[in-house]
Amino acid sequence: MPRPEGCFAHEIRVTWGDCDPARIVYTGRIPWFALDAINAWWEAHVGQGWYQFEIDRNLGTPFVHMSLDFRSPITPRHRLVCHTWPEALGETSITFGVEGEQDGALCFEGRFVCVFTVADRFTKTPPPQDIREIVTPHLPRLA
Amino acid sequence: MPRPEGCFAHEIRVTWGDCDPARIVYTGRIPWFALDAINAWWEAHVGQGWYQFEIDRNLGTPFVHMSLDFRSPITPRHRLVCHTWPEALGETSITFGVEGEQDGALCFEGRFVCVFTVADRFTKTPPPQDIREIVTPHLPRLA
Amino acid sequence: MPRPEGCFAHEIRVTWGDCDPARIVYTGRIPWFALDAINAWWEAHVGQGWYQFEIDRNLGTPFVHMSLDFRSPITPRHRLVCHTWPEALGETSITFGVEGEQDGALCFEGRFVCVFTVADRFTKTPPPQDIREIVTPHLPRLA
Amino acid sequence: MPRPEGCFAHEIRVTWGDCDPARIVYTGRIPWFALDAINAWWEAHVGQGWYQFEIDRNLGTPFVHMSLDFRSPITPRHRLVCHTWPEALGETSITFGVEGEQDGALCFEGRFVCVFTVADRFTKTPPPQDIREIVTPHLPRLA
């Protein structure tokens, strides 16, 4: 599914320490960047990130899947803009799309699936109503 | 494709610092573990890892794809055994499978695709002959 | 030496993945934050960070010393403000002070010593003149 | 205080992803390695690391200080041997020394001070008696 126009963008300051001897960002760092972008999506839209979900609401959103395609190398020469949007909201799961862009070039695109859980029991649960209501208007419309 | 019997196993000592407030390994660390296992596969079979490939042989193997399914949480209570094998060897690419297991439970399974490159030019290249010869006998046989 | 009034402040977005099972930032992450702040100091004042120093100017600034005192825990509930300033500039070295503050509380204070090197030879060198001129006015004055 | 003869050694497999564009381990990774070595000291001597301390015993050992001197660069070409020993045991604190060595060369030396806490209250406490008894014989003797 293509990235929705004007979706949330999270900017990452790429640094020297993110890079490997090939002088580009180490592959192992890239999923970390994407996760930071998803957490920032939650913070921007719900006013709470994973930390507050877990500790204040006993709500977990563990990942059950991720897949990424790496399109071009990332360096510290430009900020990395992570376009981030919810792609689907199921009974007990949510899918996010993330596209990382730098200086106008697509660097990676990824899809991430999380399930909602009762954090201290690690059992699946439907998302709280406020979260469902916040996420729904951001979902891509079917044509 | 199922994991080949008796394939290479790389053991990871999971620690406190790998875990998040949910008291399990942070998702962002898991691709990192899988990459460590793939690098260890190279070291064990070629006697060189990514560092030596790049610096001594001008050979890069950047990732173009990764996908992971997370099956159960990882904790520091047991070593994480990463079963690692080459799944396919193309003209200029290689695919690895990695399965992480802890205390007998499957924690994650992933597939990773790398391309071979001339490191200082960042252009695709077929793998060197010695690497092709080392990898080939480890590939799963077609039935 | 006390922190100079109005010195450079680098803001860090602390996240879930930075925290350990004690629900506070893992100690191992804190030097990393301080290094990010020092690199940001360079970017803000010279227009180049470690990456550009190394690759565009063949200039290295490896660390020879760091010491940190940890005063109070860091969490994702507030931005971490890293107050950062050069404390001393020697013939071939520079010392930085970094103080991390969160919600008005001092979280850590650290001192970091780097030497200037010719990057590809790994030998000490005096800093380039433009860097000396940029750093000098920021050094604390003797009373 | 000099390193005691024959003290505990924790071996670290340094990898490509630990290195920065200068082709040596990134400074921000080195405290992390030292912490891994201290945690491994606990595991080897008490049979429990920080994770078990916190979760099974409600015992925390947060760091209040660290200082490191960096003597020579670390690369993936050799294992990093971290010699690790308790240097002092106070009423409510413990000091560790760590020296990282690679291919016979000293890479870094560090000192780390932790306090014992009641984990869920974050208040200082004397260490449990079994821990005091395990640590004491490893302390350097006064001449």
Side-chain angles (χ1 to χ4, degrees), chain A residues 100-120:
Chain A
E101 219 176 47
Q102 204 176 39
D103 195 30
L106 181 65
C107 298
F108 70 88
E109 42 193 326
R111 171 168 295 144
F112 301 84
V113 185
C114 304
V115 292
F116 295 98
T117 62
V118 182
D120 63 4

Side-chain angles (χ1 to χ4, degrees), chain C residues 81-94:
Chain C
V81 181
C82 291
H83 304 278
T84 308
W85 68 98
E87 231 175 55
L89 182 64
E91 268 311 292
T92 57
S93 71
I94 185 165

Side-chain angles (χ1 to χ4, degrees), chain A residues 12-20 25 29 33 75-76, chain C residues 10 32 35-36 39-40 43 50-51, chain D residues 21 26:
Chain A
I12 289 175
R13 191 184 186 110
V14 177
T15 74
W16 167 263
D18 298 318
C19 295
D20 64 26
V25 167
R29 283 295 283 159
F33 288 164
T75 77
Chain C
H10 175 66
W32 200 292
L35 267 58
D36 280 347
N39 185 53
E43 287 190 359
W50 294 326
Y51 188 83
Chain D
Y26 179 54

Side-chain angles (χ1 to χ4, degrees), chain B residues 1 8 14 18 21 25-26 31 37 42 47 59 67 70 93-94 108 139:
Chain B
M1 233 176 291
F8 176 73
V14 177
D18 297 318
V25 167
Y26 179 54
W42 286 120
L59 174 67
S67 65
F70 305 104
S93 71
I94 185 165
F108 71 87
L139 296 170

Side-chain angles (χ1 to χ4, degrees), chain A residues 26-114:
Chain A
Y26 179 55
T27 306
R29 283 295 283 159
I30 301 175
W32 200 292
F33 288 164
L35 267 59
D36 280 347
I38 295 171
N39 186 52
W41 193 95
W42 287 119
E43 287 190 359
H45 293 85
V46 181
Q48 301 178 309
W50 294 326
Y51 188 84
Q52 291 82 9
F53 281 0
E54 174 93 13
I55 295 184
D56 302 343
R57 303 183 67 167
N58 195 25
L59 174 66
T61 63
F63 286 80
V64 294
H65 176 75
M66 68 167 67
S67 66
L68 293 109
D69 291 290
F70 305 104
R71 302 301 186 193
S72 60
I74 305 170
T75 77
R77 293 202 187 271
H78 303 275
R79 295 290 183 265
L80 176 70
V81 181
C82 291
H83 304 278
T84 308
W85 68 98
E87 232 175 56
L89 183 63
E91 268 312 292
T92 57
S93 71
I94 184 166
T95 303
F96 280 97
V98 181
E99 290 186 3
E101 219 176 47
Q102 204 176 39
D103 195 30
L106 181 65
C107 298
F108 70 88
E109 42 193 326
R111 171 168 295 144
F112 301 84
V113 185
C114 304

